[in-house]
Amino acid sequence: LDKDSEGLLLLTNDTRLNQQLLNPQQKKEKEYWVQVEGSPTAEQLKPFHTGITIKLKSGPYTCIPARAEIMEEPEALWDRNPPVRFRKTIPTTWLKVILTEGKNRQVRKMCAKIGFPVLRLIRWRIGSYELGDLQPGEVSIVR
């Protein structure tokens, strides 16, 4: 996760688990809850399903097709610190985005590319590991 993102962070010294979760060939899903500025329609989210071309340091890159859908605002979500900028005249929408790869700032770049800048990004799940009811700073040890 980058400094502007929140959510699930896995720490392991198990190289096999690390390979299973992070190698793109394994196609492990990474689920993000994303608050964007504006109100995208299902039609405007279709580019996620076909592959959005974003800019990387190495040049243009077409992302592997992903899933994106509008979701309800998550319940019992902790306050963001610092808070997300709020504008009375511009609505926000929550999206569920599911990827099988993980390029640098990929979700932010994909959302910006279709015209909906990210205000808040929470990684909810990697493979079968999910954030659940953990709060910021809390730890769960899984063996």
Side-chain angles (χ1 to χ4, degrees):
L1 290 176
D2 62 32
K3 69 178 182 69
D4 298 321
S5 301
E6 308 166 71
L8 184 63
L9 186 62
L10 298 176
L11 303 174
T12 183
N13 61 359
D14 182 337
T15 54
R16 199 175 79 212
L17 175 63
N18 189 57
Q19 181 74 0
Q20 289 173 349
L21 293 175
L22 300 180
N23 185 329
Q25 294 174 341
Q26 299 292 327
K27 298 187 181 344
K28 290 290 184 194
E29 291 184 343
K30 295 155 194 78
E31 181 178 327
Y32 297 86
W33 293 353
V34 186
Q35 183 182 26
V36 296
E37 192 172 87
S39 300
T41 64
E43 184 70 24
Q44 289 170 308
L45 296 177
K46 280 188 177 178
F48 278 90
H49 306 240
T50 57
I52 296 174
T53 300
I54 61 174
K55 291 181 185 175
L56 300 178
K57 287 182 180 179
S58 58
Y61 174 78
T62 301
C63 299
I64 294 172
R67 299 195 320 256
E69 61 187 47
I70 297 166
M71 65 182 277
E72 294 293 322
E73 181 173 348
E75 290 186 30
L77 196 58
W78 58 88
D79 290 335
R80 171 87 163 79
N81 186 10
V84 171
R85 73 174 180 264
F86 176 75
R87 299 189 214 178
K88 283 184 178 181
T89 59
I90 300 176
T92 66
T93 304
W94 281 92
L95 305 176
K96 180 189 300 184
V97 176
I98 300 175
L99 310 172
T100 57
E101 61 182 341
K103 301 294 182 189
N104 187 336
R105 300 181 69 86
Q106 180 176 348
V107 173
R108 292 178 185 283
K109 291 175 182 180
M110 293 169 78
C111 290
K113 182 75 180 228
I114 64 165
F116 297 95
V118 171
L119 298 172
R120 189 170 183 187
L121 188 141
I122 301 167
R123 182 166 50 202
W124 176 254
R125 178 174 61 87
I126 300 174
S128 62
Y129 297 94
E130 68 177 41
L131 192 58
D133 59 358
L134 282 176
Q135 296 296 302
E138 291 184 345
V139 174
S140 175
I141 299 174
V142 180
R143 297 189 192 272

